[in-house]
């Protein structure tokens, strides 16, 4: 049964990568893959020897000896746990995307467009790369990617040019998220799990992360795609701008930046802060649009008319729901593999099967090659379950170099494939980027950045 589940996952994964060839939206195989994987889990629960408890990051002891009803109860609990964790990401994503759309409703991004005086592709590449690196450390790589691609769509009109910039934004955002405790979900997991502390995380990973962003960007700046100047649409400049555009831009971005501070103070999941931020931004949007102050009254004709003019309703109608459902499908399908202990066993087999290399230099008993392979594996399979598996596998103390290397490897390794990170999945949805286009054009740049950053980390840890 485990083999059948893996086969379904591989076939679904293949259908997603061949989206443009088979003319089937990637959302469809993702949802089918999720449903069939969990159906097979439920039907074959008695044949499984292992079960991974995600809440405890460990295998359930004596699972094979449990009664059928107890096993099914565990399946239901695990499914609910993963749905909750996935829903946290999706609700957070919905909030961030709605705020971005509200800013766009008031033409807020034209304010940033006014600051971009250059038309040089090379200068714009560096500008967005540095912005992605800094923003992702503050508001996380997922939100930074949404914001920057939204701005990019206002500045770069040609989609052929824009997807190149989007590819480098993914690399820069994942690199920036790796050295901040709130920049990437895997780094946050290690931080909350008391495996890394903020000062040591910055000390170990800031320079490797900078190199992971700078080296690919430097190489890309010599590619033909970033030579010359961008095409501009002069008609956009003639449009009458909203008098509230700048105000809504700063309010929206400020609300997004507020989220990690809310999380730090309250220790609540980030989506709670994002919903508060959305409510505040939506309130001002309703006031500035001079419409009836109501978001819930749908009974009267007046409400129907208001719905067409309300910035909140207009922004919600523009949300990319297929991307949200695709995210649900892919994360829940990976959760099925994680629950069977397949990913845990994969990571454990790497630990046991590969001879220890460089352990004296590392100051730890774990092979550098194992951690690098975990990073490469996070590009193929979601990095969250791999890091979850590592939390249960290794018993090194807080701030051991191993944990920091895992944070860097899992955070930046996902850039090598477009569906290997949350930032990549969102960019894929927003710009309809083809899997194989990214593989041919961007993956090698991400791989170079990953290797350079890894080598820099190995060198730096000897001095820390």
């Amino acid at each position: 049964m485990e083999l059948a589940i893996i086969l379904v996952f591989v076939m679904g994964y293949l259908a997603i990568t061949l989206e443009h060839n088979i003319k089937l939206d990637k959302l469809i195989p993702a949802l089918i893959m999720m449903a069939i994987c969990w159906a097979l889990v439920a039907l074959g629960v008695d044949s499984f020897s292992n079960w991974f408890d995600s809440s405890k990051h460990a295998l359930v002891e004596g699972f094979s000896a449990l009664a059928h009803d107890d096993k099914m109860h565990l399946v239901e609990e695990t499914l609910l746990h993963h749905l909750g964790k996935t829903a946290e990401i999706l609700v957070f994503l919905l909030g961030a995307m709605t705020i971005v759309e509200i800013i766009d409703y008031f033409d807020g991004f034209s304010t940033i467009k006014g600051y971009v005086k250059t038309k040089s592709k090379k200068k714009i590449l560096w500008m967005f790369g540095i912005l992605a690196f800094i923003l992702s450390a503050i508001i996380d790589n997922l939100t930074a990617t949404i914001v920057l691609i939204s701005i990019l769509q206002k500045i770069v009109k040609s989609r052929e040019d824009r997807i190149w910039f989007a590819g480098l934004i993914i690399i820069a955002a994942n690199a920036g998220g790796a050295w901040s405790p709130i920049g990437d979900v895997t780094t946050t997991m290690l931080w909350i799990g008391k495996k890394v502390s903020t000062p040591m995380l910055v000390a170990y990973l800031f320079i490797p992360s900078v190199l992971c962003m700078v080296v690919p960007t430097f190489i890309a700046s010599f590619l033909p795609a970033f030579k010359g100047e961008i095409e501009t649409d002069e008609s956009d400049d003639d449009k009458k701008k909203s008098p509230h555009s700048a105000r809504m831009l700063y309010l929206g971005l400020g609300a997004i930046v507020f989220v990690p501070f809310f999380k730090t103070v309250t220790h609540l999941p980030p989506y709670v802060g994002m919903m508060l931020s959305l409510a505040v931004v939506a309130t001002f949007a309703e006031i500035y649009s001079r419409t009836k102050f109501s978001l819930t009254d749908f009974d009267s004709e007046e409400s129907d008319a208001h719905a067409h003019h309300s910035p909140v309703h207009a922004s919600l109608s523009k949300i990319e729901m297929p991307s949200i459902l695709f995210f649900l499908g892919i994360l829940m399908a990976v959760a099925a593999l994680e629950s069977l202990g397949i990913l845990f066993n994969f990571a454990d087999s790497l630990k046991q099967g590969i001879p220890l290399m460089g352990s004296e230099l590392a100051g730890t008993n774990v092979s550098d090659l194992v951690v690098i392979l975990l990073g490469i594996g996070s590009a193929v399979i979601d990095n969250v379950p791999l890091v979850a598996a590592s939390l249960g596998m290794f018993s090194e103390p807080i701030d051991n170099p191993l944990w920091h290397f895992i944070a860097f490897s899992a955070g930046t390794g996902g850039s090598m494939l477009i569906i290997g990170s949350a930032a990549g999945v969102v960019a894929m949805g927003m710009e309809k980027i083809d899997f194989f286009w990214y593989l041919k054009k961007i993956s090698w740049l991400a791989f170079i950045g990953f290797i350079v950053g890894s080598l820099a980390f190995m060198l730096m840890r000897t001095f820390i």
Side-chain angles (χ1 to χ4, degrees):
M1 192 62 83
E2 287 185 1
L3 190 60
I5 293 169
I6 294 170
L7 188 62
V8 168
F9 182 83
V10 170
M11 288 175 66
Y13 200 92
L14 194 61
I16 291 167
T17 62
L18 295 172
E19 175 191 13
H20 289 77
N21 302 77
I22 60 178
K23 309 295 182 187
L24 193 68
D25 192 294
K26 62 183 181 294
L27 142 76
I28 297 168
L31 292 178
I32 292 172
M33 175 172 65
M34 172 198 77
I36 293 179
C37 280
W38 278 104
L40 291 174
V41 166
L43 293 171
V45 67
D46 291 321
S47 65
F48 304 135
S49 56
N50 292 318
W51 190 262
F52 187 75
D53 188 342
S54 299
S55 59
K56 297 178 181 176
H57 304 301
L59 292 173
V60 175
E61 290 184 15
F63 175 76
S64 56
L66 293 176
H68 176 77
D69 289 344
D70 292 333
K71 288 180 178 180
M72 284 305 299
H73 182 66
L74 263 177
V75 170
E76 289 171 11
E77 277 191 345
T78 305
L79 185 58
L80 191 61
H81 169 81
H82 285 297
L83 181 61
K85 290 298 176 185
T86 303
E88 284 186 13
I89 298 170
L90 298 186
V91 172
F92 178 88
L93 190 57
L94 277 170
M97 291 174 82
T98 307
I99 290 174
V100 167
E101 289 295 344
I102 290 174
I103 295 171
D104 189 43
Y105 180 91
F106 287 92
D107 203 21
F109 293 118
S110 62
T111 305
I112 291 180
K113 188 178 177 183
Y115 291 132
V116 182
K117 303 297 183 185
T118 182
K119 292 183 182 178
S120 166
K121 290 181 180 178
K122 190 179 291 188
K123 289 181 180 177
I124 291 172
L125 169 66
W126 279 103
M127 189 185 304
F128 274 87
I130 293 168
L131 269 175
F133 185 82
I134 295 169
L135 271 179
S136 62
I138 301 170
I139 61 176
D140 85 54
N141 50 9
L142 179 67
T143 318
T145 304
I146 296 170
V147 171
L148 290 174
I149 290 181
S150 298
I151 296 170
L152 194 67
Q153 288 170 343
K154 300 298 173 185
I155 296 173
V156 182
K157 292 298 176 185
S158 168
R159 181 184 169 277
E160 287 71 24
D161 290 338
R162 205 164 56 236
I163 56 177
W164 277 95
F165 287 102
L168 272 298
I169 284 173
I170 292 168
I171 294 173
N174 286 334
W179 64 273
S180 164
I182 56 172
D184 183 270
V185 64
T186 50
T187 313
T188 304
M189 283 171 64
L190 292 167
W191 179 50
I192 292 172
K194 293 183 171 52
K195 301 300 181 183
V196 298
S197 64
T198 302
M200 293 307 291
L201 188 69
V202 175
Y204 272 113
L205 297 189
F206 182 73
I207 291 175
S209 296
V210 168
L211 290 172
C212 186
M213 181 275 289
V214 168
V215 172
T217 307
F218 177 75
I219 296 170
S221 65
F222 292 99
L223 297 176
F226 295 104
K227 289 182 179 176
E229 297 186 343
I230 59 169
E231 296 176 10
T232 55
D233 189 351
E234 299 300 332
S235 62
D236 273 9
D237 298 330
D238 299 330
K239 281 186 192 175
K240 187 178 179 182
K241 294 176 184 175
S242 166
H244 306 294
S245 59
R247 202 172 299 148
M248 286 306 298
L249 172 72
Y250 299 135
L251 176 64
L253 294 182
I256 292 172
V257 171
F258 162 77
V259 174
F261 293 101
F262 180 87
K263 177 187 180 299
T264 304
V265 172
T266 63
H267 301 290
L268 289 170
Y271 77 91
V272 181
M274 186 58 79
M275 290 299 102
L276 175 61
S277 294
L278 174 59
V280 172
V281 173
T283 301
F284 281 94
E286 292 289 312
I287 293 170
Y288 291 151
S289 64
R290 298 177 184 274
T291 55
K292 180 183 173 186
F293 188 72
S294 173
L295 300 180
T296 55
D297 183 11
F298 297 103
D299 296 331
S300 66
E301 290 181 10
E302 186 182 352
S303 292
D304 293 336
H306 166 67
H308 292 293
H309 300 288
S310 163
V312 178
H313 286 262
S315 300
L316 283 168
S317 68
K318 288 184 177 180
I319 296 299
E320 275 277 340
M321 281 309 295
S323 297
I324 299 290
L325 288 174
F326 168 68
F327 221 15
L328 171 69
I330 198 105
L331 287 177
M332 290 300 290
V334 170
L337 293 185
E338 178 188 341
S339 299
L340 298 180
I342 293 172
L343 298 178
F344 185 93
N345 291 333
F346 166 72
D348 194 44
S349 63
L350 281 179
K351 179 186 175 186
Q352 302 296 333
I354 299 174
L356 298 179
M357 299 172 61
S359 57
E360 291 180 8
L361 180 66
T364 177
N365 62 351
V366 177
S367 166
D368 291 333
L369 185 57
V370 171
V371 181
I372 289 172
L373 287 175
L374 283 175
I376 294 171
S378 73
V380 181
I381 310 168
D382 187 62
N383 53 8
V384 173
L386 288 178
V387 172
S390 72
L391 286 169
M393 278 166 31
F394 306 123
S395 56
E396 277 70 15
I398 187 171
D399 283 331
N400 187 283
L402 161 71
W403 298 119
H404 295 281
F405 198 9
I406 288 174
F408 174 82
S409 190
T412 61
S415 302
M416 286 182 271
L417 290 178
I418 195 163
I419 56 177
S421 67
V425 171
V426 166
M428 187 183 192
M430 292 179 76
E431 286 294 349
K432 305 294 185 286
I433 301 172
D434 180 53
F435 177 90
F436 287 104
W437 180 89
Y438 188 94
L439 186 65
K440 291 175 188 174
K441 308 291 186 182
I442 307 295
S443 292
W444 66 277
L445 290 168
F447 178 74
I448 290 172
F450 173 74
I451 293 300
V452 169
S454 297
L455 292 173
F457 173 85
M458 293 178 201
L459 183 64
M460 279 187 58
R461 71 186 164 195
T462 59
F463 303 105
I464 294 177

